[in-house]
Amino acid sequence: MMQSEDARYLKRRVKAGNIDVHPSEKAIVVSYEVEATILGEMGDPMLGEKKECQKVIRLQSLNESTDIQTLASEVVTRCKLIPITKLPEVEQLLYYLQKRKETDKGKSGKGKNSSQGLQDPTPDFLSNAIIGDMEIPSINNIDDYVELLYEDVPSKIKASIMIFCLIKNSDNLEALLDHGTVMGALSRVLREDWRKSVELSTNIMYIFFCFSTYIQFHTVIAHYKIGALCMNISDHELKRLQSWKDDLRKKRTIMEGQKNQEQGIKELEKYNKKFQNLAVKQDQLLKVAFYLLLNLAEDTRVEVKMKNKGIVKILMKALETRSNVGLHIVVLSFLKKLSIFKENKSEMAKLDIINKLTPALISDDELLSTLSLRLLLNLSFDTSLRLKMVAAGFLPKIIHHLDVPGCEPVTLCLLYHLSIDDKTRSMMAYTDCIQKVVDMILEAPIGPINPELAALAINIASRKNNTQLVCEFGKGQTLRHLVKRCFKCKDGLLLKMIRNMSQHDGPTKPMFVNFISQFANALKKEKDEDFVIECLGTLANLNFHTINFDLILKKYELLPYILNVLKSGQCEDDLVLETIVLIGTVALDENCAANLAQSGIVQVLVNLLNAKQEDDEVVLQIAYVFYQMIWHEETRNIIISNTQAPAYLIDLMHDRNSRIRTVCDNTLDIIREYDSGWEKRIQMEKFRWHNSQWIEIIGTQNMDEDEEDLYDDVLPQYYHGDDFLLYDPSANGPMMVGENGELQPEYISEEALHEGIANGTIIPPGYVPAPYMSEYDAPDPRLLASQHDLDDYYQTGQPSYGRPSTPDYMGYNY
């Protein structure tokens, strides 16, 4: 037992929880958890306790003309239990409360507006009930009400109504729990008599629903197994509805076959009216049952049990077969909560949820359509479901909700998910989505735009046809306004959209040349590295031969900046990569390429290539810089004579990345044309790579001693994988011929002899043909070497790969 004198400190921590609206009052209920820990003298915890609490924020000033955003900001500011990140959720709840109040004012005798359904599932016959001769409900008469629960069905209905009236006052909840027999009697009646009366079942379910709105009472509900009972009742009622429909269909068929159809029509109308009344009561029961289960599902363990019992299938069946908007609101709320788990999402997909959501998405009820959007957002994380949404024609319907107040955030998120697929981005060009997105950007308050809006705009700009539409808006002025906003608000995400737009070839790319000075000037002045990266990327996309990049580098003093980024080793990899891409673009200008080469940037890139050899993007862009520079004579001489760049390119000819191999091959082909020394080395390496398997087999064979003595002084040892020891420079002496016209083998170059043996033009002395060669009268003269063959070999050389027809090689667009 802890001694009081041991306790020295008390630590209290408050953890915010869920936010919901009050079921009957104009208020918001904030759930939170208080954890109190008693610490000892040394600071170690000695005793701790957790308690879940709720704070009710009453909003007496909320009316139909209240500014929701201002009120939500005031609520978040005053209530420390609500983090600022939940401001959109508070706005949505206040909007629901505002609509609910308007609904209560304009309610007619036909029923309640559906927007009230999610917050208050009170059955109509309970809301409109007139107690009449019954006494006024009192908590002191609770024993009498319990006794009525043991009598006939009408008495039980009367008792349930009286208890319902008591429970509407939340102060009576604990008193009912403390009574001891009320909860047990209610659960027994529900379990035994739910088939006898839909009204009785609904009343009792609503009583348990009132308890379920408070987390601390969930254990009581679980004790009486009300959740499992509600699922069984819901499943049975849905099957009963189908049975009623089948009976109605049979009666209609019988009526059509009767001669006296007037009597049959009257009977059919009577039965149809009865069917409609039963369906209305059934909708009320299902709405209360599903809302009760939704509250209980706050505990994920309970939710897993519901999933195992088939709650998803029950909800999907209710969504498909029922037409009550209030019921659909509760069903979609439940499905939205369930859809965050992959297992539930997969089951919904099997039950064809996308097509079943069409009526809800186009509904006139704002709450119902908003819930359908939120459910679609959860489902849109699955690629196959996104494609089904587009195939079902949801794209224009979703875009329409951009104009609906309160739906903009979730609609932008959903459209962003849909824009991940390339085909969907193309389809947006045939809707008014692009125009609305651009208008939202330009009309947004000063400062960075909403991240969801920016993400959607970035994806839209990745398509060429979408970019053309944006550039056509306002006869080109829209693009100017977008760029102006980028620099005015220092918005890196919006600049990323501009960068994506600048990458497309065609009539739109020259429009960005007008903004070169702004992008170049920002490289050294802006401190935000992300903003600078987007400026570099935009400049790198402007790969026009007509641009005087040399003048741009000098005017804005960018060459020292580029060298500093590449040499410092302290810059982020993204900044280094975009700088290399920019070098590849400015190298199109011959004067600019010469200045870059003279500044020693080639050796800096070689060092960087050695340091970043595992980064394929960096390697590819460095190789592309060499390719661009090799076209200019001055830079070509520097690269070939003063650096080891060709050797690195030879090593990269066999890289696992196909694009790197392509750039290196093209660059080496140009080097071969202008340098004979590198030509032989490149040709030999290509031969070795092409015949690597054969060379490896030859190098591992066990030769006879005579053959070893013959070749020891002629052939160098081959090292597989050695990328730089390609030939022996000392073996390039002239070929010698004896007086008798015979070739003196000891003076043949090692390279020529090695290649001659490899391609079969030279056969060493002592070569013994295989047994199968005996069937020929004489060896094939093509297999024997002659002086004429050697002369032809050394005079003609091997055919080159040829120079590319155009230097317009497009680098990889990062």
Side-chain angles (χ1 to χ4, degrees):
M1 181 176 179
M2 185 189 71
Q3 301 297 327
S4 59
E5 59 268 22
D6 294 335
R8 294 290 184 267
Y9 309 101
L10 178 63
K11 182 178 179 182
R12 182 174 179 269
R13 187 175 67 174
V14 179
K15 181 179 179 182
N18 297 329
I19 308 174
D20 203 348
V21 295
H22 195 280
S24 58
E25 298 181 17
K26 188 167 53 177
I28 292 179
V29 180
V30 182
S31 301
Y32 63 97
E33 181 182 86
V34 179
E35 180 180 0
T37 305
I38 298 177
L39 305 178
E41 185 176 1
M42 303 302 295
D44 53 324
M46 304 182 66
L47 183 63
E49 182 179 359
K50 293 182 180 179
K51 183 179 181 181
E52 294 186 355
C53 306
Q54 289 184 334
K55 179 180 178 63
V56 179
I57 304 175
R58 290 178 171 80
L59 308 165
Q60 301 298 334
S61 62
L62 180 62
N63 54 48
E64 55 194 24
S65 61
T66 301
D67 187 350
I68 296 299
Q69 293 183 349
T70 304
L71 181 59
S73 301
E74 183 179 356
V75 170
V76 173
T77 303
R78 292 190 177 186
C79 183
K80 303 303 181 183
L81 297 173
I82 304 178
I84 189 65
T85 56
K86 290 193 175 184
L87 179 60
E89 184 178 350
V90 175
E91 291 180 1
Q92 190 69 27
L93 293 176
L94 293 178
Y95 178 73
Y96 291 161
L97 283 174
Q98 188 183 47
K99 297 298 292 183
R100 186 173 74 179
K101 186 176 185 300
E102 292 176 355
T103 300
D104 291 340
K105 278 186 175 183
K107 184 169 57 176
S108 63
K110 295 182 180 180
K112 294 176 292 185
N113 185 283
S114 63
S115 298
Q116 189 181 358
L118 184 61
Q119 284 73 36
D120 187 7
T122 307
D124 289 336
F125 48 80
L126 277 178
S127 299
N128 302 326
I130 300 176
I131 298 179
D133 297 334
M134 291 188 293
E135 70 276 10
I136 298 176
S138 173
I139 193 66
N140 298 324
N141 299 329
I142 188 64
D143 291 332
D144 297 335
Y145 306 148
V146 173
E147 291 180 3
L148 290 175
L149 292 175
Y150 290 89
E151 298 182 6
D152 57 2
V153 172
S155 299
K156 293 176 181 177
I157 293 176
K158 176 183 176 181
S160 64
I161 293 176
M162 301 300 288
I163 296 175
F164 159 76
C165 295
L166 290 175
I167 213 169
K168 288 181 68 176
N169 184 356
S170 58
D171 296 336
N172 294 328
L173 291 175
E174 293 188 2
L176 292 174
L177 285 177
D178 294 339
H179 186 271
T181 59
V182 174
M183 303 301 292
L186 288 172
S187 62
R188 178 190 59 79
V189 172
L190 181 62
R191 184 171 292 104
E192 295 178 356
D193 299 333
W194 65 267
R195 288 184 176 87
K196 298 179 181 179
S197 173
V198 174
E199 184 178 353
L200 176 62
S201 302
T202 307
N203 293 352
I204 297 177
M205 280 188 183
Y206 185 80
I207 294 172
F208 282 108
F209 160 75
C210 292
F211 283 99
S212 70
T213 57
Y214 301 93
I215 298 178
Q216 56 266 37
F217 297 144
H218 283 191
T219 54
V220 178
I221 299 175
H223 173 73
Y224 292 106
K225 299 182 180 179
I226 300 301
L229 183 57
C230 285
M231 289 188 61
N232 293 335
I233 294 174
S234 302
D235 188 26
H236 181 272
E237 292 298 332
L238 290 171
K239 293 177 180 178
R240 181 190 292 184
L241 175 67
Q242 186 61 43
S243 176
W244 291 344
K245 289 182 177 180
D246 293 340
D247 293 342
L248 183 62
R249 193 180 301 109
K250 291 178 181 179
K251 289 182 178 295
R252 184 178 290 109
T253 304
I254 295 173
M255 182 271 297
E256 292 174 353
Q258 292 177 353
K259 295 182 179 180
N260 186 8
Q261 293 190 355
E262 293 183 0
Q263 183 65 25
I265 292 175
K266 292 181 180 180
E267 293 180 359
L268 184 62
E269 290 179 352
K270 183 179 179 181
Y271 188 84
N272 187 47
K273 185 177 181 180
K274 179 181 178 182
F275 168 76
Q276 295 297 335
N277 293 334
L278 291 173
V280 170
K281 292 184 178 181
Q282 198 178 59
D283 288 340
Q284 295 286 356
L285 183 145
L286 292 173
K287 184 166 64 173
V288 177
F290 289 148
Y291 209 155
L292 171 60
L293 293 172
L294 177 60
N295 288 342
L296 296 179
E298 290 296 327
D299 187 341
T300 53
R301 295 171 298 179
V302 176
E303 184 176 337
V304 170
K305 293 180 180 179
M306 293 182 185
K307 192 269 178 186
N308 294 335
K309 289 182 175 293
I311 186 63
V312 175
K313 187 176 180 180
I314 294 174
L315 292 171
M316 290 295 298
K317 190 173 182 180
L319 181 64
E320 181 182 8
T321 59
R322 316 303 294 203
S323 58
N324 183 275
V325 177
L327 176 59
H328 280 184
I329 289 174
V330 180
V331 170
L332 289 183
S333 301
F334 208 157
L335 288 173
K336 178 176 69 71
K337 185 181 188 307
L338 294 171
S339 62
I340 64 176
F341 293 100
K342 182 178 180 180
E343 296 80 3
N344 298 333
K345 180 264 300 177
S346 300
E347 187 173 356
M348 294 177 194
K350 292 179 181 178
L351 297 173
D352 195 21
I353 187 172
I354 299 300
N355 291 325
K356 295 176 182 178
L357 284 176
T358 304
L361 184 62
I362 62 177
S363 173
D364 294 333
D365 188 276
E366 294 181 6
L367 179 55
L368 181 60
S369 59
T370 302
L371 285 171
S372 63
L373 286 174
R374 293 185 177 277
L375 175 56
L376 288 173
L377 177 60
N378 287 356
L379 298 174
S380 65
F381 286 90
D382 186 280
T383 303
S384 61
L385 291 178
R386 287 200 304 269
L387 296 178
K388 286 184 178 180
M389 294 177 199
V390 177
F394 278 18
L395 185 58
K397 300 180 180 66
I398 295 171
I399 294 172
H400 169 73
H401 284 81
L402 285 174
D403 301 326
V404 178
C407 293
E408 180 181 306
V410 64
T411 304
L412 286 174
C413 293
L414 179 55
L415 287 173
Y416 164 68
H417 280 188
L418 295 177
S419 67
I420 294 175
D421 304 310
D422 188 66
K423 183 179 179 181
T424 307
R425 292 199 297 271
S426 300
M427 295 176 63
M428 289 182 176
Y430 304 99
T431 66
D432 57 350
C433 176
I434 299 177
Q435 180 68 68
K436 289 183 178 181
V437 169
V438 172
D439 291 343
M440 292 170 67
I441 292 174
L442 297 178
E443 295 172 3
I446 298 300
I449 60 176
N450 190 328
E452 290 80 9
L453 177 59
L456 175 59
I458 290 169
N459 283 1
I460 288 176
S462 65
R463 291 291 303 179
K464 184 177 180 179
N465 55 342
N466 296 340
T467 297
Q468 290 176 350
L469 284 177
V470 176
C471 293
E472 291 173 0
F473 294 154
K475 297 181 179 180
Q477 292 302 313
T478 298
L479 177 61
R480 185 176 300 277
H481 293 322
L482 290 173
V483 176
K484 182 179 179 181
R485 183 182 175 89
C486 285
F487 288 94
K488 183 178 181 180
C489 302
K490 309 301 180 186
D491 194 340
L493 290 178
L494 183 57
L495 186 57
K496 185 182 286 289
M497 172 193 176
I498 301 298
R499 174 185 172 182
N500 279 0
M501 294 172 63
S502 67
Q503 71 181 342
H504 304 295
D505 294 325
T508 59
K509 181 174 283 192
M511 300 176 68
F512 294 88
V513 177
N514 300 327
F515 311 110
I516 283 183
S517 58
Q518 294 175 260
F519 295 128
N521 193 38
L523 297 184
K524 298 179 65 177
K525 290 186 176 181
E526 297 297 335
K527 302 301 182 182
D528 186 356
E529 191 171 279
D530 293 334
F531 193 86
V532 173
I533 289 174
E534 302 307 328
C535 290
L536 283 169
T538 307
L539 286 173
N541 288 335
L542 304 179
N543 51 352
F544 294 110
H545 291 83
T546 56
I547 299 178
N548 190 345
F549 286 110
D550 186 41
L551 177 62
I552 294 173
L553 293 186
K554 291 179 180 178
K555 181 178 180 180
Y556 298 99
E557 300 178 353
L558 295 183
L559 186 55
Y561 170 80
I562 292 174
L563 289 172
N564 179 62
V565 171
L566 298 181
K567 288 182 177 180
S568 65
Q570 299 178 353
C571 298
E572 294 290 336
D573 289 345
D574 289 341
L575 182 61
V576 173
L577 176 62
E578 294 304 327
T579 304
I580 298 172
V581 176
L582 178 61
I583 296 172
T585 298
V586 301
L588 290 169
D589 188 334
E590 185 174 359
N591 296 330
C592 185
N595 291 334
L596 289 172
Q598 292 172 2
S599 68
I601 202 168
V602 177
Q603 187 58 44
V604 173
L605 290 175
V606 170
N607 297 337
L608 190 61
L609 179 64
N610 189 39
K612 301 287 186 179
Q613 56 185 334
E614 298 299 327
D615 191 332
D616 282 359
E617 292 187 21
V618 173
V619 173
L620 174 63
Q621 295 303 333
I622 293 177
Y624 177 67
V625 171
F626 294 155
Y627 174 80
Q628 289 289 6
M629 288 185 169
I630 212 70
W631 285 100
H632 310 303
E633 182 178 357
E634 185 174 351
T635 55
R636 181 169 58 245
N637 294 334
I638 294 176
I639 290 175
I640 294 176
S641 304
N642 301 340
T643 70
Q644 292 296 319
Y648 278 92
L649 292 174
I650 290 175
D651 189 29
L652 292 171
M653 278 197 310
H654 317 306
D655 193 89
R656 64 181 182 275
N657 190 305
S658 61
R659 289 176 295 186
I660 295 177
R661 295 197 303 268
T662 301
V663 177
C664 291
D665 285 342
N666 293 337
T667 308
L668 292 173
D669 286 344
I670 300 173
I671 294 176
R672 288 177 55 191
E673 288 193 14
Y674 292 97
D675 189 278
S676 57
W678 281 108
E679 179 184 6
K680 292 182 180 179
R681 186 171 177 180
I682 295 169
Q683 184 177 349
M684 186 62 184
E685 175 60 21
K686 288 188 175 183
F687 168 81
R688 282 179 52 189
W689 179 258
H690 183 71
N691 299 280
S692 59
Q693 187 176 5
W694 181 86
I695 293 175
E696 185 175 359
I697 294 174
I698 292 298
T700 56
Q701 285 182 347
N702 294 325
M703 299 181 178
D704 296 337
E705 292 183 1
D706 294 339
E707 292 177 335
E708 290 179 358
D709 294 337
L710 175 64
Y711 294 109
D712 280 345
D713 297 331
V714 179
L715 290 177
Q717 179 65 38
Y718 172 76
Y719 296 96
H720 182 67
D722 186 354
D723 295 319
F724 297 100
L725 186 57
L726 304 181
Y727 70 105
D728 186 359
S730 64
N732 291 332
M735 180 175 59
M736 302 298 294
V737 180
E739 297 179 357
N740 56 357
E742 295 179 354
L743 187 66
Q744 298 181 6
E746 60 272 17
Y747 296 105
I748 298 179
S749 69
E750 295 179 1
E751 178 184 358
L753 185 58
H754 188 184
E755 187 168 357
I757 293 175
N759 58 29
T761 57
I762 298 177
I763 296 181
Y767 175 79
V768 180
Y772 63 84
M773 294 295 294
S774 59
E775 59 182 293
Y776 297 95
D777 296 337
D780 191 337
R782 292 177 296 177
L783 301 178
L784 303 178
S786 65
Q787 183 64 42
H788 178 70
D789 295 330
L790 294 176
D791 290 341
D792 291 341
Y793 177 82
Y794 282 96
Q795 290 176 5
T796 61
Q798 297 298 320
S800 64
Y801 279 70
R803 179 175 177 171
S805 59
T806 173
D808 294 337
Y809 178 81
M810 295 301 296
Y812 171 66
N813 290 323
Y814 171 66

